[in-house]
Amino acid sequence: MRVHLLKSKIHNAIVTSGDLEYEGSITIDSELLDLATMIPNEKVLCVNNNNGERFETYIIEGRAGSREIQLNGAAARCALPGDEIIIMAFAEVEAEKAREFKPMILIVDKQNNPKRRHLVGEEDNPL
């Protein structure tokens, strides 16, 4: 049996822009993706801390250092620029390994600069 677990998340990211005309997705600065162990085209669940909206989409790699968190297509209707969101990726893990699995957590500041990074249950690593 396989269990669906949190693999990684970017916590308290600020939406920087939206593009309703794009086909869909969320564009994320490639440096943030690397720190959060996320990859382009990966499915993510996003939660808007401002209005409670939850939506799924997929990742597009943004320019390194841009600190961009852009919602595209229909997802752009789920959060406005300035809204705080949590971006979560999941993985299927064999049940016998699930208890030892530790998700990567990346916490960013109000400008989407990385502040801290850690595996769940381990000590924070300030960035």
Side-chain angles (χ1 to χ4, degrees), residues 10-79:
I10 301 174
H11 194 73
N12 296 340
I14 302 299
V15 175
T16 57
S17 59
D19 183 357
L20 283 169
E21 300 306 315
Y22 195 83
E23 293 177 1
S25 66
I26 183 169
T27 304
I28 303 173
D29 176 325
S30 64
E31 290 178 0
L32 299 179
L33 290 178
D34 289 344
L35 288 168
T37 66
M38 294 178 177
I39 59 172
N41 301 309
E42 186 169 12
K43 177 180 169 181
V44 289
L45 171 65
C46 301
V47 178
N48 185 329
N49 288 342
N50 293 75
N51 64 17
E53 181 94 27
R54 299 171 75 87
F55 56 96
E56 289 182 342
T57 190
Y58 64 94
I59 296 170
I60 290 180
E61 184 174 26
R63 185 176 51 81
S66 67
R67 301 306 182 244
E68 176 180 35
I69 303 290
Q70 177 176 298
L71 298 178
N72 302 305
R77 295 201 182 273
C78 298

